[in-house]
Amino acid sequence: MASFKSTKIPIYPKLGEKVTPDTLYWKNYKAPVQIKEFGAVTSIDFSSLAPHNYAVTASTRIHIYGPFSTEPVKTFTRFKDTAYSGKFRSDGQLLVAGCEDSMVRLFDVSGKVALRVFKGHTKGVHVTDFTSDCYHILTGSDDYTCRLWDIPNSTELTSYKEHTDYIRCGITSKLNRDIFITGSYDHTLRMFDARVEKSVMTMDHSQPVESVLLYPSEGLLVSAGGRYVKVWDLLKGGQPLVSLKNHHKTVTCLSLSSNGQRLLSASLDRHVKIYNTTNYKVVHNFDYAASILSLALAPDDESIVVGMTNGVLSIKHRKSPEEKREMAGKQRMQPVYRIFVKGRNYVPKKDDFLVSKPVKSHLAKYDKQLKKFNISKALDTALESWRRNRKPEITVAVMKELDRRGTLKNALAGRDEQNLSQLLNFLIGNVVDPRFTPVLVTATEMILDIYQAVVGQSSVVDRQLVRLQELVEREVDYQQDLLEVLGMLDTLFAASLPRKEVPCPGSSRSNGLAEGSLGAPGPQLKAA
Amino acid sequence: MVEHAEIRMVHRGGSKINFREPVITNDSRFLLCAAGESVNVYSTSTEEYVHDLQGHTDLVTGVVLNPSNHLQVYSCSADGTVRLWDFTDAILIKTFIIGYPIYSIYVSEKHGGVVFLVVPMADYKSSGKNKLFQLVAVHLPHSGDQEVEARELSAVLCDVSPHAGAASFGREVCVSGMKKGAKNAFTCVSCHPKEDCIATGHEDGKIRMWRNFNQKKEYTYSTLHWHHGAVNTLCFTPEGTNLLSGGIESVLVHWHYTQENQKDFLPRLGAAITHIAVSPDGSLFSTSHSDNKITIIQSCVKVSAVIQGLVKGDGVWTNLIIDPRSKALVLNGKPGHLQFYSLHRDKQLYNLEIVQQEYIHEEGLDQFEVVNAAFDARGNWLATVEERRKKGAELEITLKLWAYDELTQSFVLNTTVTAPHEDQITAMFFSPSPETTMLVTTSLDGHFKAWLLADHSDANEGFWACDFVGGYHLLKPGCCSFSADGSLLSVGFQEVVTVWSPASWELLTTLSQPPGAIRDLCFGRLSCSKYLLGASTKNQLCCWNLLTCSLEWSTPMDVSLLQADPLSENMAAFCSQSGSSDLFVFKPSEPRPLYSQKALCTGKVQHAVFAPRDQMLESCEERTQWLNRSQLYFFTQHMDLLTFSTKTEEDRLLASSKQLMVDDSVAVTPFYLLLGKHRGQQLEKQEALTNPMAERTQLPQGSIAIKELLHTPAHVLPSASFLCAMFVRSLLISSSSTIYSVLCCSTFGSEYSLDSSWVLRYMLGTPVFGEFLQILSSSVRLDGERCCTAIFRSLQRCLIRFKSGLWLRHSRTFRDLSRSQSCVFLAVCLGLLSCCKVTLRPSLRSWALWSRFSSRISVLCSVHLSFDPD
């Protein structure tokens, strides 16, 4: 026959973010390694050559770090002023960097002294990059010009003076040796072709541009400036595609994850946001301790390196699969567990004869008591301290079940001071929780009914009653405030939408009456 | 009027089998019980219905075995006759006409040829409510005639209760009577078969054993107490070693006669025990339960069989519904359950547990009850509403949505919505359109809500969430109806009918026909789909044309129930007039009834439904045409299930039932039917049978399979799964090889992965396989539970209010205000959002609750704590 049905514990909706594949992917990083630099970290660049060292430009130095070392592998210190934009060539042999003293220096990665020094700019150079054929260098400077230099001859090839403010970002095309794009504080992005005298495309970002990025296909361009990140379609002549406003301070740096599926943006508001590049929705978010100036991802997302204004370089490495397995294995290998599952996962063979044993259903402690109609004991079990504190929904569910059986009053009665104060404590903690209110208010009223006679005999209980009263008064005020807000909202909603005319029933009614009396089908029906 | 007489009302089962205590035959093979106007014979081992003893013209009120011939049985009825039957062959032997309505019957071995009957006192007609009853002895005259008048009554006792448990036979004397005590009124009595001892059950739950009763005034008594409610029934075992008792607790208590402190229990029998019967050899007990069920118990420990009739609980809150898949009638069953009842076989298919809470058998307790249920058009979704109203406390409502699971062939809980409305839900319907799955609920809180299945790309199953909240001038909606294609929704707000478009949730038009609130709404079907019918409380039946938005016709009728046939244009309206009900069947396009029947039954008809037929009838007479596609079933006030049927159909049914009649008294099992059929066919083959039905079911390969199965020793037989496939094949017609392959895929356990409705329809087509249906249905298990909870997010709620159209009646000034002061608007919005993070549902109700509570607690504290020395 029907077996005992256990008390139903309602599942309440949980607040908090939803777990998506993206969350799992981006959470799978170890705790960050932090390195203190001499000044604000303005640029980070990964070498494309294994083992993927990276150059970190901070203050007057450029450090080169190995993938797993916390000490620099190499340091370039030959700068007279603040260095900017240390960049590797695509073969990883050469490194170029600008400087506040308007000179651009080219280094051999294995050497110390600059191989070439390009002089020509009149102000600090914030942008340097190699072209895709590896023989030229692009620079952008605070003197509003951007120039192309020849590496073998160390001569200036061309100079463009179209920007009307500082040039703070630029990128060369990886597919065409002549194409490059610069962004400036004059709110524009310009695309240049080295074979042409003038810029070939201009886009208006309408904010000072801090960073630009090309997609691997180079059909789309991403620019960051102010609080906005904008995506442009280059193949449609620089048409804006999307404008994203997810940061609340200036966006300083952009990066693509290695497979090009996710776009990362770092900002002065100390967040790194990760976007899905198909629908441009934020899929994940990292928080950092200080404003972020630079951001770079190692190939295959093996590590995320972030440089901040306080000179801290933060490196997060991805967890390797072995480590993950190790973590999981540690929990599993306890001997008790092995004994517990012994024989449980045995799969019977094809010809085996199966003798099934009825599965013994396990009841919770309070359910066992409820089954025997031991109501006070059931309530006691539900009020055990860990259950009361960790899972108040169970305690409330048992109270509700007792109330349904009409025996809650009996279960609540007959308690001594300690027991009663325990009960009152629970009520004070949970009675204003909207999930539990309907049940707990009934229970509280019953307690007041039962223990009315003994109020004033124990100071502990009296104090708790006063607390309960204060709590309830506060709740009443709060509910009243809420209702007021709701009323205001209702009127505003009501007012903000135009009134729609509903077809007036008046005319049709009169019509209907007339027809009804004309047709007079009533008698026919009755006659039948 | 000849055609008119052809349609007749037919009683379609659902009769009470727990009305009087059943009788188990001497050989313990059959159980006989009174069921309405007949006596049903069931097999005790297989719980199958064998046949019935038909002949009485009123309620059968008692069945007893003939003490002189154990193959015969006496039955008495309120029609004033006692009949003697041969129950093995269902033959009426004799009819004794008494002339008074009989309320119960008793026999004794010591008094051969005499029966004791409870009849009303001679002046019963005048006494009105307080009828007096007397126990009379009747000598049954020996005569060769079929019908005998027996008018020689000799009164034994007067002033007895008509209740059956009130009298019992001891060794020598008959004990009967009902004392009216203060708290310990007698409820039942039983005599020890051997000793001088009488057991009586009392209202306060005590059992008293009276001894030495025959010595005048020297009797002693002892008390046994276990029951907390009244003792409903008592019974001694034939040897007198044990006493059985039962009550509302639904526990069979087994007292030992010699050691009175010892008792055994058989708990969890499902419902309150009303009668206990013991077989003459003491091996079988049977308990009748208040939910129209008889349980057969073997030697007090094991429940061996359950005979379940149509459960009639406290009421049918869910209207009658037809499950689109199994074509079963669905209504309230046991407390907290929905029962699926096969109309064709008058048998319960299964129970679906809705409330999923431990049921406490106690009187006066507020329990959760299923008050509403609805199926979607294809039977994939079931929505149920359960509610529990405590005295003076808040109403608890839960809306549950169940998805049909093909694998387990049952409904699985998908979504639970606690408190979907703030007040009672009055109506609930699924949209019939095939594109969207939408549910609409209307409630007394002044809103109707639309619920949609929210598709979730991440999870494989979606859940239901509220899509729209609508209202009309704070009026209370009482009923709603979807048009046949789901493009229009009409909601009756008291006197006003509103018509909405579910696609855009626009209020399209309003119709009204005062005075009188709208009680029932119904759209026309097929060619009449432009008509909307409404029945109002002030005796008006109105038909609106939705193309012109005007009243087409109206007629003064007190319509208590309006029901549309889903397969044709026909509508049925039940009217109550001067204590009896009339039926009109009509098409909305013409206000002339196709069929009408005056004085259908006494009292109001509350529930009715059109059940689609499996095969269409080819009747072309105008009067009976409306019965061609579907059959109209309805419940009378006394909860009898009635239907309409034509003469030709009755004859056909009778013929097919004769075909199935088993002449042997062997218990009928599906397997037996199969074997018996084959044996019969082999015999009939020699006689060159020409019955088309038998030829159709003739299976050459089937008989080989069964021969193989029966004549080979068990140890050389192949595995059961292999045999099963063969057995299933033998049930099928050879030509349908596709069905065979499908069936063979499934094994005999609970895993029927095929489309049940398809197979069921197929099997119902051939009457033999109707038996197989039972195996299928019993394999349906209702376990597995998944509970997700739909979430009211605060923002969604805002949006709903925004969509609801409640602002429509506010004035223009507010609009101007909000336009000029948009920053205020923003601030209010932000304020609301920050509030909503903390509290989910700010509402007037909760505020009232809190303030009431606050005043209470402050009064208490001020009174008691002001005297506190601290």
Side-chain angles (χ1 to χ4, degrees):
Chain A
M1 299 254 77
S3 57
F4 179 81
K5 281 157 212 142
S6 53
T7 312
K8 213 164 184 109
I9 311 295
I11 304 159
Y12 292 104
K14 274 191 201 129
L15 294 174
E17 64 181 315
K18 242 172 60 184
V19 178
T20 58
D22 272 298
T23 341
L24 294 177
Y25 182 82
W26 294 108
K27 280 221 165 140
N28 191 21
Y29 283 93
K30 292 187 230 174
V33 179
Q34 304 219 332
I35 303 166
K36 181 78 180 155
E37 295 286 335
F38 293 105
V41 181
T42 53
S43 161
I44 300 163
D45 187 41
F46 270 91
S47 159
S48 54
L49 210 68
H52 304 300
N53 293 342
Y54 54 96
V56 175
T57 315
S59 183
T60 58
R61 289 157 194 244
I62 293 177
H63 291 298
I64 293 176
Y65 291 92
F68 292 108
S69 67
T70 52
E71 291 298 313
V73 182
K74 183 116 191 133
T75 308
F76 299 99
T77 52
R78 300 292 172 91
F79 293 101
K80 304 208 168 54
D81 209 332
T82 314
Y84 296 109
S85 178
K87 281 250 162 99
F88 280 106
R89 199 162 79 170
S90 57
D91 59 357
Q93 301 287 329
L94 295 178
L95 184 119
V96 70
C99 183
E100 192 60 45
D101 63 0
S102 79
M103 286 193 280
V104 178
R105 290 176 176 83
L106 183 74
F107 299 93
D108 186 348
V109 171
S110 53
K112 255 190 169 196
V113 189
L115 293 177
R116 298 276 190 280
V117 178
F118 304 99
K119 294 177 187 167
H121 283 296
T122 54
K123 280 189 178 170
V125 180
H126 282 255
V127 181
T128 57
D129 202 356
F130 290 95
T131 57
S132 60
D133 63 355
C134 302
Y135 301 130
H136 304 301
I137 290 170
L138 159 75
T139 60
S141 160
D142 285 356
D143 61 4
Y144 310 163
T145 61
C146 55
R147 301 174 195 218
L148 273 178
W149 309 81
D150 186 38
I151 297 175
N153 303 326
S154 73
T155 51
E156 183 184 318
L157 295 174
T158 37
S159 170
Y160 297 98
K161 284 187 188 164
E162 292 193 16
H163 283 296
T164 55
D165 207 334
Y166 300 157
I167 296 168
R168 285 290 165 91
C169 57
I171 191 161
T172 55
S173 160
K174 296 279 175 292
L175 304 177
N176 189 321
R177 66 190 177 116
D178 294 317
I179 303 249
F180 60 95
I181 297 153
T182 56
S184 154
Y185 275 12
D186 64 359
H187 301 186
T188 58
L189 294 156
R190 283 176 196 275
M191 184 163 137
F192 297 96
D193 188 340
R195 295 159 293 191
V196 181
E197 290 291 308
K198 288 177 71 181
S199 66
V200 291
M201 203 182 284
T202 307
M203 287 149 277
D204 184 17
H205 186 87
S206 59
Q207 308 277 335
V209 184
E210 295 282 355
S211 178
V212 289
L213 187 73
L214 270 170
Y215 268 70
S217 66
E218 304 197 345
L220 295 177
L221 172 75
V222 190
S223 65
R227 296 163 58 197
Y228 294 88
V229 173
K230 292 188 180 182
V231 183
W232 312 85
D233 193 344
L234 293 180
L235 300 178
K236 279 189 183 170
Q239 199 180 1
L241 207 66
V242 209
S243 173
L244 307 168
K245 196 175 110 180
N246 293 92
H247 288 281
H248 57 267
K249 279 187 184 168
T250 305
V251 183
T252 50
C253 198
L254 291 170
S255 177
L256 273 177
S257 78
S258 58
N259 54 6
Q261 299 293 309
R262 300 285 179 268
L263 172 71
L264 289 86
S265 70
S267 152
L268 293 179
D269 65 2
R270 301 181 293 158
H271 293 301
V272 173
K273 305 250 178 199
I274 300 165
Y275 307 86
N276 186 342
T277 50
T278 48
N279 54 9
Y280 294 102
K281 292 242 169 72
V282 177
V283 293
H284 196 68
N285 178 40
F286 288 118
D287 291 348
Y288 282 93
S291 301
I292 303 164
L293 287 180
S294 52
L295 160 80
L297 258 76
D300 293 329
D301 302 340
E302 281 306 316
S303 51
I304 302 172
V305 187
V306 162
M308 288 171 269
T309 46
N310 59 359
V312 172
L313 185 73
S314 157
I315 305 134
K316 279 186 186 174
H317 291 289
R318 175 169 283 281
K319 280 179 195 158
S320 57
E322 294 92 54
E323 273 173 288
K324 264 167 81 179
R325 215 175 302 137
E326 219 170 74
M327 294 267 288
K330 246 181 229 163
Q331 291 162 351
R332 191 150 48 100
M333 294 318 279
Q334 286 179 357
V336 181
Y337 178 76
R338 266 185 298 166
I339 289 165
F340 185 64
V341 296
K342 201 173 186 179
R344 293 263 169 131
N345 44 11
Y346 178 77
V347 182
K349 294 197 187 74
K350 197 183 162 193
D351 298 332
D352 283 356
F353 185 72
L354 268 180
V355 181
S356 59
K357 201 173 68 178
V359 183
K360 200 181 168 190
S361 66
H362 175 75
L363 286 180
K365 268 186 189 169
Y366 52 86
D367 273 337
K368 279 183 190 157
Q369 304 286 6
L370 280 175
K371 191 180 174 184
K372 292 180 192 158
F373 291 85
N374 292 341
I375 45 170
S376 287
K377 276 186 191 161
L379 188 60
D380 286 341
T381 327
L383 277 170
E384 273 171 14
S385 59
W386 72 269
R387 195 169 283 133
R388 190 177 67 209
N389 298 330
R390 296 270 184 78
K391 292 189 167 165
E393 64 264 25
I394 292 182
T395 314
V396 174
V398 171
M399 281 188 177
K400 193 174 177 186
E401 171 70 16
L402 288 172
D403 188 30
R404 188 178 72 87
R405 294 176 172 213
T407 49
L408 181 57
K409 209 161 191 167
N410 304 5
L412 289 170
R415 289 176 185 265
D416 57 3
E417 182 186 349
Q418 193 197 345
N419 251 331
L420 183 61
S421 72
Q422 204 181 19
L423 201 55
L424 282 173
N425 250 339
F426 175 72
L427 290 176
I428 289 168
N430 293 294
V431 77
V432 292
D433 192 327
R435 300 175 296 175
F436 307 141
T437 300
V439 181
L440 291 187
V441 164
T442 350
T444 319
E445 287 200 69
M446 282 181 184
I447 287 177
L448 294 182
D449 279 341
I450 296 164
Y451 297 102
Q452 214 162 16
V454 297
V455 171
Q457 287 181 9
S458 152
S459 58
V460 184
V461 172
D462 290 352
R463 228 176 296 135
Q464 281 175 325
L465 277 180
V466 174
R467 263 182 68 198
L468 193 61
Q469 185 194 2
E470 285 165 6
L471 191 73
V472 169
E473 273 166 13
R474 229 180 308 138
E475 182 68 19
V476 170
D477 293 342
Y478 181 62
Q479 295 272 342
Q480 201 161 4
D481 289 348
L482 276 181
L483 276 179
E484 280 168 19
V485 172
L486 205 65
M488 279 189 262
L489 264 187
D490 270 354
T491 49
L492 285 168
F493 278 139
S496 59
L497 250 97
R499 189 182 173 129
K500 190 182 159 279
E501 279 303 315
V502 176
C504 180
S507 59
S508 67
R509 186 192 302 164
S510 59
N511 279 347
L513 270 180
E515 269 184 48
S517 53
L518 271 179
Q524 284 176 354
L525 204 57
K526 260 185 124 179
Chain B
M1 296 307 284
V2 179
E3 309 154 347
H4 198 116
E6 245 183 62
I7 295 180
R8 52 176 81 177
M9 262 195 304
V10 185
H11 189 265
R12 259 305 141 77
S15 39
K16 252 183 162 178
I17 58 172
N18 63 350
F19 180 59
R20 285 293 137 98
E21 70 176 56
V23 169
I24 304 176
T25 57
N26 263 9
D27 54 359
S28 300
R29 282 211 323 222
F30 297 109
L31 180 135
L32 286 77
C33 67
E37 294 174 4
S38 62
V39 177
N40 283 5
V41 182
Y42 294 94
S43 158
T44 52
S45 48
T46 62
E47 63 195 76
E48 289 289 321
Y49 166 76
V50 182
H51 51 243
D52 57 355
L53 314 177
Q54 280 180 339
H56 282 292
T57 54
D58 206 342
L59 202 63
V60 176
T61 51
V63 183
V64 282
L65 282 177
N66 185 358
S68 50
N69 184 351
H70 65 87
L71 292 176
Q72 292 175 349
V73 71
Y74 284 114
S75 70
C76 68
S77 157
D79 63 0
T81 58
V82 173
R83 285 171 200 246
L84 185 65
W85 308 83
D86 178 352
F87 59 81
T88 42
D89 297 326
I91 297 167
L92 176 64
I93 299 172
K94 259 179 195 171
T95 307
F96 304 101
I97 300 165
I98 307 294
Y100 299 102
I102 306 164
Y103 287 87
S104 47
I105 183 168
Y106 308 95
V107 290
S108 163
E109 277 185 42
K110 297 275 186 309
H111 304 80
V114 178
V115 292
F116 298 86
L117 308 169
V118 174
V119 295
M121 299 284 259
D123 55 345
Y124 71 99
K125 273 172 192 161
S126 58
S127 54
K129 267 185 196 172
N130 298 321
K131 277 187 186 172
L132 293 176
F133 296 91
Q134 59 181 348
L135 186 70
V136 295
V138 181
H139 282 271
L140 300 175
H142 292 278
S143 151
D145 294 336
Q146 269 270 325
E147 285 196 14
V148 190
E149 286 213 10
R151 303 267 184 191
E152 292 169 35
L153 309 181
S154 53
V156 179
L157 264 176
C158 41
D159 189 16
V160 296
S161 155
H163 189 267
S168 177
F169 269 97
R171 273 185 313 156
E172 291 167 4
V173 292
C174 146
V175 179
S176 158
M178 280 284 157
K179 269 191 230 166
K180 300 283 189 292
K183 268 193 80 180
N184 53 357
F186 291 102
T187 52
C188 51
V189 58
S190 178
C191 293
H192 195 280
K194 299 260 160 71
E195 286 177 32
D196 187 9
C197 176
I198 300 157
T200 55
H202 297 262
E203 203 112 278
D204 56 358
K206 286 179 181 152
I207 299 168
R208 290 194 172 82
M209 308 281 274
W210 309 79
R211 291 192 173 82
N212 292 331
F213 213 78
N214 284 351
Q215 279 74 45
K216 296 274 178 196
K217 292 181 183 173
E218 282 174 22
Y219 61 83
T220 55
Y221 75 86
S222 57
T223 308
L224 309 172
H225 195 182
W226 181 85
H227 294 275
H228 68 76
V231 184
N232 277 349
T233 175
L234 280 172
C235 189
F236 275 103
T237 52
E239 293 303 308
T241 50
N242 294 309
L243 173 68
L244 307 169
S245 71
I248 193 174
E249 303 88 356
S250 76
V251 179
L252 181 68
V253 190
H254 191 201
W255 307 86
H256 295 261
Y257 180 67
T258 43
Q259 301 113 349
E260 291 188 348
N261 298 327
Q262 273 193 21
K263 51 191 179 284
D264 298 326
F265 303 106
L266 185 65
R268 304 195 168 278
L269 290 175
I273 297 174
T274 53
H275 303 287
I276 300 175
V278 185
S279 70
D281 59 354
S283 63
L284 287 183
F285 305 153
S286 84
T287 54
S288 306
H289 298 267
S290 58
D291 62 349
N292 209 11
K293 176 175 80 176
I294 296 175
T295 309
I296 294 162
I297 297 158
Q298 267 178 352
S299 53
C300 200
V301 282
K302 212 179 101 221
V303 172
S304 67
V306 176
I307 300 162
Q308 176 79 65
L310 180 68
V311 181
K312 290 162 186 166
D314 304 329
V316 181
W317 295 284
T318 67
N319 283 328
L320 304 184
I321 319 161
I322 296 290
D323 177 17
R325 269 177 199 271
S326 62
K327 303 280 180 286
L329 182 72
V330 180
L331 68 159
N332 279 107
K334 290 192 282 185
H337 287 66
L338 278 185
Q339 60 177 329
F340 287 64
Y341 191 82
S342 165
L343 287 169
H344 300 284
R345 295 170 36 71
D346 185 24
K347 186 158 185 167
Q348 195 181 57
L349 295 177
Y350 63 96
N351 260 309
L352 180 64
E353 195 189 342
I354 302 294
V355 172
Q356 300 185 328
Q357 253 179 353
E358 178 75 359
Y359 185 80
I360 309 295
H361 295 282
E362 198 180 309
E363 246 171 312
L365 212 58
D366 300 303
Q367 309 271 11
F368 268 107
E369 275 303 340
V370 183
V371 292
N372 251 318
F375 282 96
D376 79 335
R378 276 168 294 173
N380 289 335
W381 289 97
L382 165 68
T384 58
V385 176
E386 63 210 52
E387 70 172 41
R388 168 171 170 254
R389 189 185 279 285
K390 288 181 281 183
K391 285 168 219 92
E394 213 166 325
L395 186 73
E396 286 178 58
I397 313 177
T398 315
L399 170 69
K400 281 180 179 166
L401 286 132
W402 307 75
Y404 189 79
D405 187 15
E406 296 277 348
L407 206 68
T408 56
Q409 301 278 303
S410 68
F411 285 93
V412 181
L413 186 60
N414 178 277
T415 306
T416 307
V417 185
T418 46
H421 281 279
E422 283 171 16
D423 211 336
Q424 272 179 316
I425 290 178
T426 51
M428 175 166 74
F429 285 103
F430 273 98
S431 160
S433 83
E435 289 97 41
T436 56
T437 22
M438 182 197 288
L439 177 75
V440 168
T441 55
T442 62
S443 158
L444 288 182
D445 64 358
H447 298 297
F448 72 90
K449 288 188 185 180
W451 306 82
L452 268 187
L453 184 62
D455 276 320
H456 248 272
S457 46
D458 305 337
N460 32 4
E461 269 191 83
F463 60 85
W464 289 76
C466 187
D467 180 55
F468 176 73
V469 180
Y472 187 76
H473 290 271
L474 290 180
L475 293 175
K476 289 177 180 175
C479 48
C480 70
S481 170
F482 271 103
S483 67
D485 58 349
S487 63
L488 288 179
L489 168 72
S490 68
V491 184
F493 285 94
Q494 288 174 1
E495 293 168 10
V496 186
V497 179
T498 54
V499 181
W500 305 72
S501 147
S504 60
W505 290 116
E506 253 183 296
L507 177 60
L508 298 176
T509 184
T510 58
L511 310 161
S512 86
Q513 187 66 26
I518 300 291
R519 196 194 282 156
D520 230 328
L521 272 176
C522 214
F523 273 96
R525 311 263 158 178
L526 306 173
S527 67
C528 301
S529 57
K530 64 182 177 188
Y531 296 109
L532 171 67
L533 279 120
S536 73
T537 50
K538 287 278 162 70
N539 301 351
Q540 280 274 339
L541 178 67
C542 308
C543 176
W544 289 281
N545 188 338
L546 288 174
L547 297 179
T548 58
C549 286
S550 62
L551 191 72
E552 190 88 359
W553 52 266
S554 76
T555 173
M557 274 167 87
D558 185 17
V559 177
S560 61
L561 193 71
L562 196 62
Q563 196 77 30
D565 184 357
L567 295 180
S568 66
E569 296 102 336
N570 301 328
M571 298 228 175
F574 288 92
C575 311
S576 53
Q577 258 174 3
S578 60
S580 65
S581 288
D582 306 337
L583 168 72
F584 297 97
V585 180
F586 59 96
K587 283 185 185 179
S589 53
E590 45 182 332
R592 192 174 292 107
L594 294 169
Y595 171 76
S596 69
Q597 170 97 38
K598 286 264 178 189
L600 205 60
C601 60
T602 55
K604 259 188 186 177
V605 172
Q606 297 285 7
H607 310 284
V609 73
F610 276 100
R613 282 182 196 273
D614 292 326
Q615 289 165 324
M616 252 185 67
L617 289 188
E618 292 100 12
S619 162
C620 35
E621 293 199 41
E622 202 193 344
R623 289 252 171 214
T624 58
Q625 247 171 2
W626 65 280
L627 283 171
N628 279 1
R629 286 168 184 275
S630 37
Q631 233 173 333
L632 181 66
Y633 287 86
F634 63 96
F635 258 135
T636 61
Q637 210 174 24
H638 305 293
M639 310 279 281
D640 288 316
L641 188 63
L642 298 179
T643 186
F644 292 93
S645 132
T646 56
K647 192 173 185 309
T648 49
E649 194 195 356
E650 283 296 298
D651 293 344
R652 199 165 52 78
L653 275 178
L654 209 65
S656 68
S657 70
K658 275 211 180 110
Q659 194 88 59
L660 271 171
M661 192 83 83
V662 185
D663 51 349
D664 213 332
S665 58
V666 181
V668 186
T669 61
F671 197 69
Y672 168 76
L673 268 183
L674 181 83
L675 276 179
K677 200 84 196 160
H678 280 291
R679 206 180 299 147
Q681 274 167 17
Q682 277 158 9
L683 287 177
E684 283 161 353
K685 223 184 270 174
Q686 295 155 0
E687 296 162 15
L689 177 95
T690 51
N691 193 330
M693 181 68 93
E695 260 179 0
R696 197 145 64 88
T697 50
Q698 196 157 327
L699 311 164
Q701 83 271 42
S703 61
I704 290 166
I706 287 156
K707 213 176 277 172
E708 222 172 285
L709 199 141
L710 292 177
H711 292 280
T712 26
H715 63 276
V716 295
L717 271 178
S719 71
S721 60
F722 179 75
L723 277 181
C724 156
M726 236 156 54
F727 178 67
V728 171
R729 182 177 4 187
S730 72
L731 284 171
L732 291 168
I733 296 167
S734 57
S735 61
S736 57
S737 57
T738 50
I739 298 168
Y740 160 63
S741 62
V742 172
L743 265 173
C744 282
C745 294
S746 70
T747 53
F748 234 147
S750 57
E751 7 172 54
Y752 281 93
S753 55
L754 48 149
D755 182 356
S756 70
S757 69
W758 179 65
V759 171
L760 289 192
R761 194 177 308 136
Y762 172 73
M763 290 194 163
L764 279 175
T766 51
V768 179
F769 303 132
E771 295 297 328
F772 193 67
L773 183 83
Q774 189 208 345
I775 305 175
L776 270 175
S777 63
S778 67
S779 77
V780 172
R781 288 274 173 272
L782 301 169
D783 44 14
E785 157 193 340
R786 207 180 77 82
C787 175
C788 16
T789 312
I791 307 160
F792 283 100
R793 288 209 184 86
S794 51
L795 266 178
Q796 258 180 358
R797 195 174 135 73
C798 239
L799 203 67
I800 288 162
R801 284 187 157 273
F802 190 76
K803 278 179 170 180
S804 69
L806 284 175
W807 60 83
L808 279 174
R809 49 184 194 282
H810 288 279
S811 76
R812 174 182 284 270
T813 44
F814 283 109
R815 191 194 316 164
D816 298 333
L817 177 88
S818 72
R819 274 194 193 142
S820 59
Q821 301 188 342
S822 57
C823 56
V824 175
F825 183 75
L826 195 72
V828 171
C829 278
L830 284 175
L832 179 85
L833 286 188
S834 61
C835 293
C836 286
K837 266 187 185 173
V838 195
T839 300
L840 288 173
R841 291 167 59 100
S843 73
L844 263 176
R845 189 188 286 267
S846 67
W847 179 76
L849 179 83
W850 281 113
S851 27
R852 184 171 62 82
F853 187 47
S854 156
S855 63
R856 201 193 133 89
I857 191 171
S858 57
V859 164
L860 184 81
C861 288
S862 63
V863 166
H864 289 276
L865 299 181
S866 54
F867 303 113
D868 207 354
D870 298 338

